[in-house]
Amino acid sequence: KKTMASNEARLQELGVVLPPAPKSIGIYRPLVIVGNLAYTSGTGPVQADGTYLKGKVGLGEKDKGYAAAQLCAYAILSNLKTNLGSLDRVKRIVKILAFVNCTDDFGDQPAVVNGCSEVFQKVFGPENGVGARSAIGTNSLPGQMMVEVEAIFELE
């Protein structure tokens, strides 16, 4: 049943303009393909101007973390589109590993990471857009990024 909307069409329906694909700032590749799996490196919340959303998520601030996680998802989609040519090569999300730069008393990391998960669900569909996931709180991230996400995708 391939009559459903494509990943690219669903992205267009969201009306989101993807940021430029993240570039490597160390000795690593933004995306590695092994067999039919695509692994993304840790990706931060890239804003429209190319800078990263920085800071910690504290008590009562899960909404700002959620928005940062959405930005991570858009940057990952840009990485995939740039390196694969089309998001339609993605069959499904397999796993998300997310880190939230947060205060010691913040315990709502899963609600923050939903920002990323919900973007993938909308783009890849209710079945293929939901995978396994870990949401971890940490005391610091590179460049004081608010959220960092890495993901594994199955390719067609």
Side-chain angles (χ1 to χ4, degrees), residues 27-148:
I27 303 171
Y28 65 89
R29 297 181 191 282
L31 181 81
V32 172
I33 297 171
V34 178
N36 67 336
L37 296 177
Y39 296 79
T40 69
S41 289
T43 305
V46 182
Q47 301 176 100
D49 65 2
T51 64
Y52 288 95
L53 190 58
K54 297 178 179 188
K56 285 192 183 291
V57 180
L59 279 178
E61 297 182 321
K62 73 178 178 205
D63 288 349
K64 82 176 185 182
Y66 178 96
Q70 285 181 311
L71 291 175
C72 292
Y74 299 144
I76 288 170
L77 292 174
S78 180
N79 183 2
L80 289 167
K81 191 172 168 86
T82 298
N83 287 284
L84 300 175
S86 170
L87 293 177
D88 292 334
R89 287 195 53 202
V90 175
K91 182 175 181 181
R92 70 163 300 123
I93 178 75
V94 176
K95 173 115 199 282
I96 296 169
L97 173 59
F99 299 91
V100 179
N101 186 355
C102 59
T103 57
D104 290 346
D105 56 357
F106 184 79
D108 220 353
Q109 292 84 2
V112 166
V113 179
N114 281 345
C116 179
S117 296
E118 289 171 11
V119 169
F120 291 158
Q121 185 179 31
K122 288 174 184 170
V123 172
F124 301 116
E127 183 61 36
N128 290 338
V130 179
R133 186 180 92 175
S134 298
I136 300 166
T138 185
N139 65 330
S140 183
L141 286 171
Q144 295 305 316
M145 291 186 295
M146 194 176 293
V147 178
E148 183 176 4

